[in-house]
């Protein structure tokens, strides 16, 4: 991947956080979102941070934007400058102009390193947000970031979902006009790196509906950045409400085997900027396979952007070793006939047998499915690959690899 230094937030490029402290996941975007939010605030007389996060990333910029002189509360972290107070115990008569909470609210009311079994605590993160809204002065603003996707009851956290988040207004009575939300999804992360580079893109809420926590990437794979603006003093904080009858899932990462993860992580590092996929019908004759695949591979070898392109081959219904022998023979034949340098060999990835949760990770990184004369229609259906844009072997030569402002790549 050609990693970008910025991600796009509401049409504006914002630099990823590259400070190498707890920066393997969502902090890479949450920290710059917090600083970006704070630069827009005019009244910073009284500032509260819930959860001791930002001082781990502070520098001279903190003084420039006026972030440094603030009150920090964190129930558990005992360090200088932090008050070990539960957010819910803060006096309601003390109000703030700005409140920031990064990756903290989802833990409120949850037992540390345990799955919450007390239904009364499952909505504690929502009550915490209502508490934050109550603590604002009229006109005051808050920024809260939490993991977002499927509703999950994890170890010491709740991952928010669309239905869960909507309770802020429908149940806890924060006015709709007081809430704005930005949703971001993680597309790629460098593997096995302490301070990895990332690709996050801003998306619509619906696009995160099926996003898991810690799958396929460690920790949050989607977040929502919630901005609150206190619109009046008429808000009545009511925390004595019975929990809704919601169905909380278990994180997929707690249930899948290491083999499934290892198989996926063996494929992801091989993906390039442009990834094409084919679904050959392996039941056809070897001669038919050659006629289908040889022109395609030759087209990729001669493509001006071949260093950017990988070809993924579905090998359902055939032994991987046999598939590998067929492709090796095709490539050797092409190089022999056309006197090509073996250094130009394309990146070909034989996928083997994949299950739906593995396909869900790979498909968003695929730009096009190349149509073959003989295809495995059942495999296409099982992979849910029907919606991938289509190409033909003949059309590939006219297409170019283009990196979009978001960091994603297009092939057109």
């Amino acid at each position: 991947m050609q990693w970008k230094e910025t991600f796009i937030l509401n049409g504006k490029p914002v630099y990823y956080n590259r400070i190498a402290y707890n920066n393997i996941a969502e902090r890479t975007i949450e920290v710059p979102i917090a600083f970006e939010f704070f630069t827009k605030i005019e009244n910073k007389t009284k500032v509260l941070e819930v959860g001791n996060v930002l001082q781990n990333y502070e520098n001279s910029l903190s003084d420039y934007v006026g972030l440094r002189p603030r009150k920090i509360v964190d129930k558990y972290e005992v360090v200088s400058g932090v008050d070990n107070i539960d957010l819910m115990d803060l006096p309601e008569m003390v109000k703030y102009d700005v409140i920031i909470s990064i990756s903290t609210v989802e833990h409120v009311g949850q037992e540390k390193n345990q799955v919450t079994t007390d239904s009364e605590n499952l909505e504690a993160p929502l009550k915490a947000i209502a508490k934050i809204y109550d603590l604002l002065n009229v006109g005051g603003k808050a920024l809260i970031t939490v993991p977002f996707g499927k509703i999950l009851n994890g170890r010491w956290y709740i991952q928010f979902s669309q239905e869960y988040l909507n309770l802020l207004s429908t149940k806890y009575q924060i006015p709709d006009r007081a809430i704005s939300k930005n949703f971001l999804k993680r597309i790629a992360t460098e593997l096995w790196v302490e301070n990895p580079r990332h690709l996050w893109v801003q998306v619509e809420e619906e696009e995160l509906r099926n996003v898991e926590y810690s799958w396929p990437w460690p920790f949050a794979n989607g977040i929502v950045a919630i901005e609150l603006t206190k619109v009046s003093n008429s808000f009545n904080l009511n925390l004595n409400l019975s929990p809704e009858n919601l169905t909380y899932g278990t994180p997929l990462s707690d249930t899948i085997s290491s083999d499934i993860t290892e198989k996926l992580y063996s494929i992801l590092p091989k993906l390039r900027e442009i990834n094409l996929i084919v679904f050959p019908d392996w039941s056809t004759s070897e001669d038919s396979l050659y006629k289908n695949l040889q022109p395609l591979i030759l087209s990729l070898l001669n493509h001006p952007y071949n260093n950017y392109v990988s070809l993924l081959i579905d090998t359902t219904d055939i032994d991987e070793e046999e598939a590998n022998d067929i492709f090796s023979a095709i490539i050797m034949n092409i190089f022999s006939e056309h006197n090509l340098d073996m250094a130009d060999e394309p990146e070909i990835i034989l996928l083997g047998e994949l299950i739906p949760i593995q396909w869900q990770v790979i498909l968003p990184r695929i730009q096009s499915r190349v149509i073959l004369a003989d295809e495995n229609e059942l495999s296409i259906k099982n992979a849910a690959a029907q919606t991938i844009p289509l190409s033909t072997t003949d059309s590939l030569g006219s297409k170019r690899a283009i990196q979009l402002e978001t960091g994603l790549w297009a092939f057109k």
Side-chain angles (χ1 to χ4, degrees):
M1 289 267 314
Q2 294 187 14
W3 303 94
K4 295 201 70 166
E5 294 182 338
T6 59
F7 61 98
I8 302 299
L9 182 65
N10 296 327
K12 177 182 178 181
V14 178
Y15 280 94
Y16 285 103
N17 172 38
R18 298 295 300 140
I19 297 174
Y21 176 85
N22 192 18
N23 197 40
I24 65 172
E26 59 266 34
R27 296 284 173 86
T28 193
I29 58 168
E30 289 178 318
V31 172
I33 287 174
F35 279 100
E36 182 72 16
F37 165 79
F38 207 76
T39 59
K40 299 182 296 184
I41 303 295
E42 295 182 3
N43 183 6
K44 306 169 187 176
T45 306
K46 292 194 67 174
V47 180
L48 171 68
E49 182 179 2
V50 177
N52 181 39
V53 173
L54 292 180
Q55 73 170 348
N56 297 303
Y57 306 94
E58 288 185 282
N59 50 33
S60 57
L61 180 62
S62 302
D63 295 323
Y64 177 74
V65 301
L67 177 61
R68 190 92 68 182
R70 67 189 185 280
K71 180 182 180 68
I72 305 173
V73 296
D74 190 302
K75 185 176 180 179
Y76 297 102
E77 193 165 340
V78 182
V79 294
S80 176
V82 175
D83 295 333
N84 298 124
I85 303 171
D86 191 317
L87 161 68
M88 308 308 289
D89 293 332
L90 288 176
E92 62 181 36
M93 67 286 299
V94 179
K95 304 297 184 183
Y96 298 88
D97 303 306
V98 187
I99 302 177
I100 295 179
S101 184
I102 302 300
S103 284
T104 297
V105 160
E106 65 268 25
H107 303 296
V108 172
Q110 313 309 301
E111 293 295 326
K112 195 168 186 179
N113 297 324
Q114 295 182 26
V115 175
T116 297
T117 56
D118 184 354
S119 62
E120 292 295 327
N121 289 332
L122 291 175
E123 290 180 21
L126 296 173
K127 295 176 181 180
I129 295 176
K131 174 73 172 181
I132 288 173
Y133 184 75
D134 187 55
L135 290 173
L136 288 171
N137 281 319
V138 174
K141 296 182 179 294
L143 171 72
I144 301 151
T145 65
V146 293
F148 189 89
K150 287 184 177 180
I151 184 170
L152 299 175
N153 180 1
R155 288 188 174 86
W156 199 37
Y157 70 89
I158 299 293
Q159 174 163 285
F160 283 44
S161 70
Q162 194 173 32
E163 184 180 17
Y164 188 82
L165 183 60
N166 287 343
L167 294 177
L168 286 178
S169 56
T170 61
K171 181 175 183 177
Y172 292 94
Q173 299 301 301
I174 299 176
D176 281 331
R177 68 184 187 281
I179 306 172
S180 67
K181 297 164 285 191
N182 291 308
F183 300 90
L184 294 104
K185 181 179 183 180
R186 182 153 46 151
I187 303 298
T189 292
E190 283 184 297
L191 295 172
W192 309 297
V193 177
E194 288 186 6
N195 187 24
R197 289 170 292 185
H198 298 264
L199 175 59
W200 287 78
V201 294
Q202 189 170 9
V203 297
E204 296 298 322
E205 183 175 10
E206 185 65 25
E207 195 169 331
L208 295 178
R209 175 176 288 277
N210 295 314
V211 167
E212 297 279 351
Y213 189 91
S214 277
W215 175 264
W217 318 107
F219 306 108
N221 283 250
I223 72 161
V224 56
I226 306 163
E227 292 190 25
L228 303 176
T229 303
K230 188 71 168 287
V231 294
S232 74
N233 276 324
S234 62
F235 177 71
N236 180 33
L237 180 64
N238 182 8
L239 303 179
N240 296 318
L241 300 172
S242 298
E244 298 296 312
N245 186 26
L246 301 178
T247 301
Y248 295 78
T250 299
L252 183 62
S253 57
D254 290 354
T255 62
I256 60 175
S257 70
S258 59
D259 291 344
I260 293 173
T261 303
E262 288 170 8
K263 170 72 173 178
L264 183 66
Y265 281 8
S266 71
I267 296 172
L268 290 174
K270 298 176 185 177
L271 299 182
R272 291 182 173 179
E273 289 81 1
I274 301 299
N275 302 291
L276 310 178
I277 192 167
V278 291
F279 290 85
D281 181 356
W282 296 101
S283 66
T284 61
S285 67
E286 196 165 301
D287 183 57
S288 294
L289 287 170
Y290 273 70
K291 288 180 179 178
N292 268 297
L293 297 172
Q294 187 161 313
L296 169 59
I297 295 172
L298 183 60
S299 177
L300 294 179
L301 282 167
N302 292 323
H303 199 282
Y305 285 78
N306 62 354
N307 289 332
Y308 289 78
V309 179
S310 71
L311 177 64
L312 285 70
I313 315 290
D314 173 66
T315 54
T316 304
D317 300 334
I318 187 173
D319 179 76
E320 286 189 53
E321 187 173 340
E322 184 180 350
N324 189 61
D325 289 343
I326 292 173
F327 269 96
S328 295
I330 292 173
I331 290 171
M332 289 298 293
N333 189 48
I334 291 174
F335 276 75
S336 174
E337 284 185 7
H338 298 273
N339 195 28
L340 299 173
D341 186 345
M342 289 295 288
D344 294 327
E345 185 174 342
E347 180 68 70
I348 294 178
I349 305 168
L350 302 181
L351 293 174
E353 195 83 31
L354 299 181
I355 61 176
I357 59 173
Q358 293 168 318
W359 280 115
Q360 288 170 17
V361 177
I362 292 171
L363 290 183
R365 292 285 304 278
I366 295 176
Q367 281 79 8
S368 185
R369 174 166 70 87
V370 182
I371 302 170
L372 301 177
D374 300 300
E375 294 187 305
N376 189 333
E377 298 291 344
L378 181 59
S379 290
I380 293 172
K381 180 180 178 181
N382 290 339
Q386 302 97 320
T387 59
I388 298 174
L390 301 178
S391 298
T392 63
T393 296
D394 292 340
S395 70
L396 294 180
S398 63
K399 296 190 176 186
R400 298 294 180 263
I402 302 169
Q403 189 173 30
L404 308 176
E405 191 179 15
T406 59
L408 294 172
W409 285 77
F411 195 49
K412 56 186 180 180

